[in-house]
Amino acid sequence: MNKTKKILVISILVGLFICFPSISVSANAPMPADHLSIYITNLPEGAVYADLLIKIPKDDSNYVDFQSSAYGDDKSLVKEIANYSKDGYCSFTLHYKNAKSNIKIERAYNENYMVKFCCGSEYREYLTQYEDLLNNYRNFKIALLDKDYKIISVSDSAKLPKDIPSISFYGDVEYDALENKIEVDTMVNPYFVFFGSFLSIIVMIISIVTEFLVALIFRFKGKQLLNILNVNACSQLIMRTLYLVLPFPYLIETVILEVIVYTVEFLIYKKRFADVKTSKILTYTIVANTFSLLFGIILNTFMFA
């Protein structure tokens, strides 16, 4: 391995070490909705706060007996909602570990009011909670409380959609407190359509250019470079499509797809570049794809930190 290639490998290891804390955000994942918003109509008199009730057993790793939150840190003041456990439902804000909620009911528009959940200060923070709700705690109820945190009413149960959240769920729930009716908005998320698509195109271009430049460093020439461009363009397009189809959390999708890309590209290059040493093809595939992955992680880190 010559000096240039050694420098590339060392750069990859350093880059992975630096970016490791950010890998919880997938390098090429589309943007999801930013939080769960509950819009309330026909708000009863005296209702000041609203909380999300979810089914989370006490032996769940995300369950906490009580935590300082939007309610404050005095358990005696919120005893009723803190102890609520009918039909297995309990307060998301008080019992889901590190829950981020804005429980104060605010006017949204006209006679509509709003509260928000999974609204952490950072992209990674609210994305984790938001995904967790859709994957593991879909059943929910809505509790309305007065100024002293006493429960006024609790809605019937409803379900969040179990699907790819960035496409099929915009993050909005409408609750008619008078009719006790909950509607989950499953409209296409326009934020994903415009911003997510634009970001995916940018990441795709960066990935193709990166792997092409690495190919130049590895002294691939002529038809070999053209093959590399074609293979990368195809793999990027297929990867973007699979991100929209696979139902797994973003990090798992990224790991699965990257392993497939590394393997398939190596096998294609090995077949097409019969006169090139296998060790060179393997090294190039690892270096090029890892640099591409690093750039995607760095881009997401700066965009969504």
Side-chain angles (χ1 to χ4, degrees):
M1 186 182 296
N2 61 35
K3 186 177 181 180
T4 301
K5 293 176 185 177
K6 287 181 179 178
I7 292 174
L8 282 175
V9 173
I10 293 172
S11 299
I12 286 175
L13 294 175
V14 172
L16 285 172
F17 177 79
I18 293 173
C19 295
F20 182 77
S22 304
I23 294 180
S24 58
V25 176
S26 302
N28 302 302
M31 275 292 294
D34 56 354
H35 44 246
L36 179 64
S37 300
I38 296 179
Y39 292 89
I40 307 169
T41 56
N42 294 315
L43 188 70
E45 185 177 354
V48 178
Y49 304 99
D51 202 353
L52 188 70
L53 305 178
I54 62 173
K55 278 190 170 184
I56 178 170
K58 291 186 177 181
D59 59 354
D60 191 295
S61 60
N62 284 317
Y63 178 86
V64 291
D65 181 60
F66 179 83
Q67 64 187 346
S68 178
S69 64
Y71 287 102
D73 56 8
D74 189 342
K75 187 176 182 178
S76 65
L77 295 178
V78 293
K79 185 176 181 180
E80 186 176 358
I81 185 66
N83 293 332
Y84 185 91
S85 59
K86 186 176 181 181
D87 299 325
Y89 288 90
C90 63
S91 166
F92 167 80
T93 305
L94 292 172
H95 298 296
Y96 180 95
K97 183 170 59 179
N98 299 321
K100 303 295 180 182
S101 306
N102 292 335
I103 62 170
K104 179 70 179 295
I105 298 173
E106 305 286 350
R107 185 181 292 275
Y109 55 90
N110 298 331
E111 296 302 316
N112 287 322
Y113 298 83
M114 180 177 64
V115 287
K116 292 184 178 182
F117 301 92
C118 308
C119 42
S121 58
E122 293 187 2
Y123 172 79
R124 291 184 294 275
E125 192 172 42
Y126 60 66
L127 172 58
T128 300
Q129 293 184 7
Y130 183 86
E131 278 194 309
D132 208 19
L133 283 181
L134 268 66
N135 290 325
N136 302 308
Y137 312 103
R138 297 172 58 208
N139 296 285
F140 73 96
K141 293 183 178 182
I142 300 168
L144 299 179
L145 303 93
D146 64 18
K147 62 181 179 64
D148 297 317
Y149 303 116
K150 302 297 183 183
I151 297 175
I152 296 175
S153 64
V154 175
S155 73
D156 290 338
S157 63
K159 274 190 176 183
L160 297 172
K162 186 178 178 64
D163 204 341
I164 304 174
S166 59
I167 297 176
S168 65
F169 185 47
Y170 188 41
D172 288 355
V173 172
E174 296 181 1
Y175 172 44
D176 186 327
L178 179 62
E179 299 291 334
N180 194 18
K181 183 179 180 181
I182 296 177
E183 292 185 358
V184 177
D185 188 349
T186 54
M187 66 176 285
V188 172
N189 182 356
Y191 190 41
F192 165 79
V193 173
F194 294 104
F195 184 78
S197 298
F198 173 76
L199 179 62
S200 291
I201 292 172
I202 294 299
V203 172
M204 183 171 65
I205 292 173
I206 290 175
S207 296
I208 294 172
V209 170
T210 299
E211 295 191 32
F212 181 79
L213 292 176
V214 174
L216 291 177
I217 295 174
F218 273 75
R219 297 181 181 178
F220 287 106
K221 299 177 181 179
K223 290 183 178 180
Q224 292 176 336
L225 291 175
L226 185 59
N227 275 323
I228 287 172
L229 280 176
N230 290 334
V231 169
N232 272 280
C234 290
S235 64
Q236 288 296 321
L237 288 171
I238 293 172
M239 182 183 289
R240 296 299 172 280
T241 302
L242 290 176
Y243 266 121
L244 305 181
V245 175
L246 293 177
F248 308 115
Y250 293 165
L251 180 58
I252 295 176
E253 288 183 358
T254 298
V255 172
I256 293 173
L257 292 177
E258 290 294 344
V259 169
I260 293 174
V261 167
Y262 277 63
T263 304
V264 171
E265 287 191 4
F266 167 72
L267 294 175
I268 292 175
Y269 295 146
K270 188 175 185 298
K271 183 176 181 180
R272 292 190 176 184
F273 305 158
D275 56 338
V276 179
K277 290 182 179 180
T278 300
S279 59
K280 178 179 177 179
I281 296 174
L282 178 61
T283 305
Y284 164 74
T285 304
I286 294 173
V287 171
N289 281 286
T290 305
F291 261 114
S292 173
L293 176 63
L294 285 175
F295 276 119
I297 293 171
I298 292 170
L299 177 62
N300 269 359
T301 300
F302 281 101
M303 291 289 288
F304 308 128

